Amino acid sequence: MMNKMNVCKIAFLIATAMGVVACGSDGKDGAPGEPGKPGEPGPGPVPPVVETSTITNVEMINHMVEEGKLTIEFAITNEDGIAIAGLKDASVYLAAMTEQGIQRSRDGSVGGNATVGGDKPTEGASLEMLDNGNYQFVAPMAAVQADTEGLIRLQVGGGEIAKSPYIIIDKPEMTHTSTTETCYSCHVDYATSDIRHSGYVALNTDGEVDFVGGCMVCHNNVPRDIAEDGSSLNTGGYAKNTMQKLGHINHQKFEKDFTPVNCYTCHAEPVMNTNLAGNGCTDCHSVEGAKFDRVMSATSSGFDARDFHAQKSGLANLKAMRNGYSAETSVPFKDENGVWCTTMALFKLDGDTKTPVHIGDNYSHDLTSHHPDTPIVYAGAYLHGYYNNSVVGRFAGHGKDEIKTDNADGTRTHCFPSPSAGFDAADIMASARISLSYDGWTDNDGKESLSFTAYSDAINQSSSEEVPYERRLAVTNDSCTTCHNSETNYHKNGAYNDGGVDCVACHNNGQDRSAKNSAPGFGPMVHSMHWGIGNALSGAKKDQDGNNIANSADSLNADNCVSCHAEGVDLNAIPNQYIRAKAFNNGDQTKMASPITANCFACHSDAQALNHMQQNGGEISAEKGNGNDGTWFTQPTSESCATCHAEGKSFGIEKFHNFQR
């Protein structure tokens, strides 16, 4: 049969199979056919999913508070932004807003919590994946009503899927008036520390830290109830320590120049409670103090308890005095007898107006009490050696032959007939310190006074040219006063203001202070007193037997240098100049330390750390040599710490310490 099929038929079959008919045609196209019915679209590409993660990101979609339950919809992705399937673990907590404030009882009678997965899943709770990476979490909570407002905290993940951070998905307005920023002034980046409960630090839905909100989920405004026998019950709040007790009472354990009546330190906004019997007030006041209650009840809704405490405690007066005076002192000069002198002045400020205060007429020689008409209780001056932008010791100070002269214009001149030797190579500058008393002031080593320190420019001893005083200060103005908030002094009339700049008059490169044998200079001393061996040696805190114990700074994370050094630390800017260091050498006054080593060794004081520093030229026991030849502060050191540890270097200091919030 195949043999009988002609060529035209074969061509026709082939053309038909190909959809073309040509054989026997006249070559013209036929009429167009009717359009076909559109086909159904295909399923499209399937988004990728994973079932494991090292980081779990949560995006909130919706949540609904209903009668007896809380429903949450959310999406999760891994560290690469890929949707996660197979989630089996989630937990949620709701602390309800009540008339007493935020409250969550352990027995579920107020607020509630629910868990899916884990060792103790909540009966009736469910977790369903609606589509890839999107989930619905239904959490039964018997005490919750449809109109319940609450602080709601969510966490998801477990096992192969990394746990997410705690997330505050809802929070009533004005839940608290302390802020993350005020808390983080001291508790910087709490989540990264090894301090208790650091893992509970929560984020908001924008990924920002909500420190106080996270704490209040457990540390409510309402304390946990206590039975008659002293045991804890499961009613009331969740924890025995309320949030206000943590702030008002526990912070009073901070033992040096901290006052809880400076409410502005923590409360960024006016506090909400103005009822003495309500939250917070009873932590410090008994309800019997009805006169305070009458004051608060009689005021308008604009009552600000922060200002009330500041006024009643006298703190507002101290702040006004702090802003209402300034001190100055002159560049050192020689009088007609060739004696070095400086002239100090005190001014009362009113806007841009400076009115001289007559020091002699207002100086109190009776230090047993405050005299309103004679508030000045201390007025002293020193002359210092100044070299390479550093204070290198006391050229002249208090002595039996010091001459003080009260001038007609109200200034006071201090002259020093017997200056110290050993400063031939240094310029000379002056510091002056004036301290004021106030109502309630007591004479106690200058700790209670309101003090002002002034520094002059320097003068070149050979050319008599003036040299600007430009000592490097690597801390910020509020570095000290954020914690030491009482407006008073540490001691010796040295205030905490402006980053503790007053302290440099005594704690400088050449003064060779012992600081309880903890560390020399200013920076090393501060490091040690807070986080080194000086923490206990300071004597600021003692046990019941009178033994020194570590002070409160020990509870903070020492790695967070940003608490004080908010603008970083430039190791290259540190003058390559020795610090006299008897503090490191059992009181031996012939020893010196190189500056970066001194600062680091104040905290990193083990043998291994010291060996590393010494291998790179650092010293803590260099020989000062002849104390009268005036050359020790002109000699450069050999330390090379900045080569590797300056910011931006391969082992930059910022890689080991936190300089950013």
Side-chain angles (χ1 to χ4, degrees):
M1 184 175 180
M2 183 68 179
N3 293 335
K4 295 181 179 180
M5 190 175 290
N6 60 32
V7 174
C8 185
K9 289 181 178 178
I10 295 173
F12 178 80
L13 291 172
I14 296 173
T16 300
M18 298 177 64
V20 177
V21 178
C23 188
S25 170
D26 60 4
K28 296 181 179 179
D29 293 337
E34 292 295 325
K37 184 180 179 181
E40 294 294 327
V46 178
V49 294
V50 294
E51 294 187 354
T52 64
S53 69
T54 56
I55 296 174
T56 300
N57 304 302
V58 181
E59 180 181 352
M60 283 301 305
I61 297 173
N62 188 28
H63 79 278
M64 184 180 301
V65 180
E66 301 174 274
E67 192 82 13
K69 69 177 181 179
L70 170 63
T71 302
I72 305 171
E73 293 185 25
F74 59 91
I76 56 173
T77 56
N78 74 349
E79 60 277 5
D80 297 318
I82 302 173
I84 301 174
L87 179 68
K88 297 179 180 179
D89 300 276
S91 60
V92 65
Y93 300 80
L94 188 152
M97 176 64 81
T98 70
E99 292 183 354
Q100 296 176 288
I102 294 294
Q103 182 178 1
R104 178 168 70 90
S105 300
R106 289 175 178 251
D107 65 356
S109 58
V110 181
N113 64 279
T115 299
V116 170
D119 298 331
K120 297 180 179 179
T122 301
E123 183 178 354
S126 64
L127 182 64
E128 177 187 1
M129 189 169 77
L130 305 178
D131 50 48
N132 289 341
N134 291 358
Y135 293 83
Q136 183 182 75
F137 179 17
V138 179
M141 295 183 184
V144 169
Q145 307 298 316
D147 61 351
T148 298
E149 287 188 280
L151 186 59
I152 304 175
R153 186 184 73 187
L154 172 71
Q155 185 180 48
V156 305
E160 295 296 315
I161 298 174
K163 286 188 176 182
S164 72
Y166 286 102
I167 303 168
I168 302 298
I169 66 172
D170 197 19
K171 181 170 67 173
E173 291 186 9
M174 294 300 289
T175 300
H176 52 80
T177 59
S178 295
T179 63
T180 297
E181 289 74 22
T182 54
C183 293
Y184 269 30
S185 295
C186 298
H187 300 290
V188 182
D189 290 347
Y190 199 93
T192 65
S193 71
D194 57 0
I195 301 174
R196 187 182 183 190
H197 292 340
S198 60
Y200 286 88
V201 172
L203 308 179
N204 62 22
T205 54
D206 293 326
E208 302 164 332
V209 174
D210 186 348
F211 186 63
V212 185
C215 295
M216 289 190 71
V217 174
C218 295
H219 294 282
N220 317 147
N221 293 128
V222 179
R224 188 177 178 184
D225 288 334
I226 305 296
E228 291 184 2
D229 63 1
S231 61
S232 297
L233 300 175
N234 288 330
T235 54
Y238 185 83
K240 290 184 289 185
N241 279 342
T242 62
M243 195 63 198
Q244 58 268 19
K245 182 182 177 184
L246 290 176
H248 296 160
I249 302 300
N250 291 10
H251 279 72
Q252 292 187 37
K253 296 177 182 178
F254 181 68
E255 66 281 346
K256 189 61 184 169
D257 304 321
F258 172 85
T259 174
V261 298
N262 192 345
C263 309
Y264 294 97
T265 300
C266 298
H267 292 283
E269 301 292 337
V271 299
M272 295 168 288
N273 176 42
T274 56
N275 182 347
L276 184 63
N279 297 324
C281 298
T282 54
D283 291 328
C284 301
H285 301 289
S286 65
V287 179
E288 286 75 18
K291 60 180 180 180
F292 292 109
D293 202 27
R294 286 197 298 271
V295 169
M296 291 189 287
S297 298
T299 57
S300 68
S301 59
F303 174 77
D304 191 340
R306 301 173 303 173
D307 181 66
F308 176 79
H309 282 87
Q311 297 291 343
K312 297 295 289 185
S313 67
L315 183 66
N317 180 53
L318 295 186
K319 287 181 175 291
M321 291 175 66
R322 171 70 60 193
N323 296 324
Y325 290 90
S326 67
E328 296 178 7
T329 198
S330 71
V331 173
F333 61 91
K334 288 186 177 181
D335 66 7
E336 64 275 9
N337 299 314
V339 174
W340 283 106
C341 307
T342 186
T343 298
M344 65 167 63
L346 180 67
F347 297 93
K348 193 171 181 60
L349 307 178
D350 184 6
D352 295 330
T353 303
K354 295 170 58 177
T355 304
V357 176
H358 200 291
I359 295 175
D361 290 349
N362 288 278
Y363 196 95
S364 175
H365 296 280
D366 178 9
L367 298 183
T368 59
S369 63
H370 164 63
H371 298 274
D373 297 330
T374 56
I376 299 175
V377 291
Y378 180 83
Y382 300 106
L383 299 183
H384 308 273
Y386 181 67
Y387 184 87
N388 194 25
N389 291 351
S390 296
V391 180
V392 293
R394 188 168 295 165
F395 176 72
H398 299 318
K400 294 181 180 179
D401 56 356
E402 178 188 359
I403 302 170
K404 305 174 186 177
T405 304
D406 288 321
N407 305 310
D409 62 358
T411 61
R412 171 175 283 193
T413 299
H414 292 251
C415 295
F416 306 91
S418 304
S420 301
F423 291 92
D424 295 345
D427 300 323
I428 305 300
M429 59 164 289
S431 69
R433 185 166 293 169
I434 301 175
S435 297
L436 308 180
S437 64
Y438 49 88
D439 189 25
W441 168 86
T442 57
D443 179 30
N444 182 16
D445 192 34
K447 296 176 183 177
E448 304 291 331
S449 305
L450 192 77
S451 300
F452 302 85
T453 296
Y455 295 95
S456 76
D457 285 335
I459 187 169
N460 184 286
Q461 295 188 73
S462 301
S463 66
S464 297
E465 293 181 2
E466 292 189 12
V467 179
Y469 172 63
E470 297 178 339
R471 187 188 184 279
R472 185 185 62 89
L473 193 67
V475 294
T476 49
N477 286 344
D478 59 354
S479 291
C480 304
T481 54
T482 296
C483 295
H484 303 284
N485 66 355
S486 68
E487 289 290 348
T488 55
N489 306 322
Y490 186 85
H491 69 170
K492 307 295 183 185
N493 301 287
Y496 293 101
N497 299 81
D498 299 324
V501 68
D502 291 16
C503 308
V504 176
C506 296
H507 297 276
N508 51 60
N509 285 16
Q511 199 63 32
D512 210 9
R513 291 291 186 181
S514 174
K516 301 288 186 181
N517 288 322
S518 67
F522 181 47
M525 175 195 69
V526 172
H527 294 160
S528 180
M529 286 289 184
H530 288 82
W531 296 288
I533 62 171
N535 182 279
L537 292 176
S538 69
K541 197 171 185 178
K542 299 178 182 293
D543 62 18
Q544 59 184 5
D545 297 322
N547 300 312
N548 290 351
I549 57 176
N551 65 46
S552 300
D554 194 52
S555 298
L556 301 176
N557 190 348
D559 293 342
N560 284 320
C561 305
V562 69
S563 296
C564 299
H565 300 285
E567 298 172 2
V569 172
D570 184 359
L571 298 187
N572 289 311
I574 297 176
N576 187 23
Q577 188 171 8
Y578 284 106
I579 301 174
R580 292 184 61 183
K582 71 179 182 182
F584 286 153
N585 295 280
N586 298 315
D588 187 341
Q589 297 182 1
T590 69
K591 303 297 184 181
M592 305 184 297
S594 53
I596 298 177
T597 296
N599 278 278
C600 296
F601 182 70
C603 293
H604 303 286
S605 55
D606 59 71
Q608 184 178 8
L610 179 59
N611 181 58
H612 171 76
M613 298 175 207
Q614 291 174 330
Q615 285 183 338
N616 291 278
E619 299 172 275
I620 64 167
S621 301
E623 289 294 337
K624 175 176 173 285
N626 185 351
N628 296 321
D629 62 7
T631 60
W632 69 267
F633 52 81
T634 67
Q635 301 171 21
T637 75
S638 298
E639 68 179 10
S640 57
C641 310
T643 303
C644 295
H645 294 300
E647 288 192 4
K649 295 298 183 71
S650 55
F651 295 96
I653 188 172
E654 79 281 5
K655 293 180 174 61
F656 306 95
H657 296 285
N658 185 19
F659 290 97
Q660 293 183 341
R661 294 193 184 279

